[in-house]
Amino acid sequence: MTDWSGLPKDLLYLIAKRLDTSLDRFRFRSVCSAWRSSVAPKRRRFPGRFPMLPDDNTNISSTSFGFHLSKRTVFLVKSPQMATSWLIKIEEDTLNRKRLIYPLKRHRFDFRKVVDIQNLNICEIGHEYVLNYINSPPNSNFMNELCNLYMEKVVLMYLGSRESDSDGFVLLTVHVSGKLAMFKSGHKKWTILQYMPSPFDDVIVYKGRFYAVDNTGSTVVVDCSRCSVNLVGNPVFGGDKKYLVECKGDLLLVDMHLSIDAATFDPNLDWEQQLAYFVRERTVMFKFYKLDEERKEWAEVNNLKDDVLFLGEDSVFSVSVNELGVSRGNCILFVDNVYGLSEDGADDDVHLGVGVFDLESGCIKPLGNYPELSKLFWPVPDWIASRTLEVSVHSCFFMSKL
Amino acid sequence: MSKLGQAKRIIFLKTADGQLFEVDEPVAMEFEIVKSFFDENEDAADDTVVPLPNVSAEPLAGIIEFCKAHVEFRANGAAGKDEVKKFNAEYIKEKSNEQLKELILAANYLNIKEMLDFLTETIANRLKNKSVEYVRAFFGIENDFTPQEEEAVRKEYEWAFEGVDED
């Protein structure tokens, strides 16, 4: 058998630096001594403070307020026999403290445990970045949620080679005006891109470039060095909110259709719930398009085949049924407040407000109606529970060291 | 190349196992080690044989095949196009694990940037999302950690989650 442990260190380093996720890098370092010493663990440090986005109405000095950036990663954890999966989102702060977050949402999940992940098969599915106002104490859940006022999706791209941080990075988000806002590391201010036929809805990194879609479906590629945009997809109009997602290497446009009609009036709901029904916009359907970059057209897709899309509040990702270990795909999971109101059972918070749109039937139902899919989130699988330690043991140990 | 109507220059390379290869100049110049040999020995005769004491004939033949195709792709303006991807995929499909290792060692020694990029990417893709046990078995690697390293690795395998604090 070929023995790969004897590769020269410079070659091991070249291989390791092509592993983009910190998890893959971590596993690389766990193989043997030679591999471990060939490359450092992957840790990215962000500046502690990002300047405020400019706002025409206020004169807040950009030195007194700002954002800090946090990263959350979505993982698919597979059971040792690979039969079932657990979908989780982890937020890691600058002190490497981990917290579980509801995968499609922004709030935290009370899971104070240590999980032994050895021999579990874990894939990184996606990640998201969030800008938090800097005046929020990092330990406070309540304050964080209040202070997380800047709600648009943020995407980040490293400039230059994948390895060196010295080349810096760029952030792209949608400004409150609907225009695109870009921040380059080392700069003091955000740049607002003036191009805006209509307000932008979503941004994504696709094949190493920033793409942005406005609420008509008109899609542009952002040229970071010139702060300019190039049109790559003409509008589709149609629905009310557009999202971009990469699926099997293709760029997809997800068009969410909302309605405020009260056709589904339910006399069993109490007054408050009925009011919510009337005033809230309700998701009624989705349409999907694939980008044809040569013709600059979005071509409608009627079938997602064996893929499941996850439309979260801060990121959109796709996973195949094989990876998930579920029997059928062709659907999209999304956050929809209406279902949060009509369901009971407060302990499975994770299901609240998540709906499933099935492309085959064209129907939307609460996640609870799809046991196979809802099990991906909650309850915590037995094979995870059996690998957990109560964290208090650790904190005692930690305290005794202080 | 020959399109320009010039006489083609041939570079002679001699492998560790004593085989002599005759390689078109543009292909041989993909090897940084050969290029710098001629840069440093400007008055080297045309029939100079460049010794490659760390490379044997089999991987060198594979490397010449790869570089020749890529030099042609560039000459035809096909670089970065689908046919290159198709060629690369076919090229690697036929290679065993042992051959892949010999190729990457040779490409590293000869310092061929394009080929190294491709081979390191190929190996990285084989490692992605794989468990450590799988990687050890696939690449024939023994766990040789010291107890201290073993302990450090074990610690890294513990994902400690903070609860939701009330403060």
Side-chain angles (χ1 to χ4, degrees), chain B residues 124-144:
Chain B
N125 285 337
R126 290 183 184 182
L127 296 172
K128 279 177 190 168
N129 291 329
K130 299 296 191 308
S131 73
V132 174
E133 282 311 311
Y134 173 91
V135 171
R136 284 191 190 134
F138 189 82
F139 291 100
I141 298 173
E142 296 276 325
N143 176 358
D144 63 347

Side-chain angles (χ1 to χ4, degrees), chain A residues 1-4 18 24 26-27 30-33 35-36 98 110-111 113-115 117 141 162, chain B residues 97-98 101 105 117 120-121 129-130 136 139-141 144-145 149 153 156-157 159 161-162 164:
Chain A
M1 188 182 266
T2 319
D3 176 5
W4 288 72
R18 293 190 171 269
D24 278 328
F26 154 65
R27 282 188 288 231
S30 308
V31 170
C32 64
S33 289
W35 286 34
R36 187 172 187 82
K98 292 181 169 70
D110 200 359
F111 185 78
K113 294 272 168 57
V114 179
V115 180
I117 60 161
N141 190 45
R162 286 186 245 194
Chain B
N97 229 346
E98 179 67 39
K101 183 187 156 193
L105 282 170
D117 282 349
T120 51
E121 184 78 47
N129 291 329
K130 299 296 191 308
R136 284 191 190 134
F139 291 100
I141 298 173
D144 63 347
F145 285 128
E149 283 174 320
V153 172
E156 287 174 9
Y157 273 112
W159 277 2
F161 294 102
E162 310 270 320
V164 175

Side-chain angles (χ1 to χ4, degrees), chain A residues 192-256:
Chain A
I192 305 291
L193 277 63
Q194 291 308 317
Y195 173 90
M196 186 184 70
S198 61
F200 281 94
D201 266 357
D202 198 17
V203 288
I204 193 175
V205 177
Y206 172 66
K207 293 192 174 164
R209 296 196 292 173
F210 282 136
Y211 284 70
V213 65
D214 74 13
N215 66 10
T216 67
S218 169
T219 306
V220 294
V221 167
V222 179
D223 181 334
C224 299
S225 51
R226 293 191 197 152
C227 293
S228 63
V229 300
N230 293 310
L231 185 79
V232 290
N234 284 306
V236 296
F237 302 102
D240 301 278
K241 187 134 172 72
K242 309 283 192 284
Y243 298 90
L244 295 172
V245 59
E246 183 173 349
C247 184
K248 294 242 159 70
D250 292 322
L251 186 64
L252 294 190
L253 173 70
V254 179
D255 188 12
M256 184 191 244

Side-chain angles (χ1 to χ4, degrees), chain A residues 6 11 29 36 90 108 136 162 184 214 229 235-236 243 290 302 313 340 372:
Chain A
L11 199 46
R29 283 174 40 84
R36 187 172 187 82
I90 297 179
R108 289 175 183 162
S136 74
R162 286 186 245 194
K184 286 186 192 169
D214 74 13
V229 300
V236 296
Y243 298 90
K290 190 169 116 175
N302 295 314
E313 289 178 314
E372 225 184 21

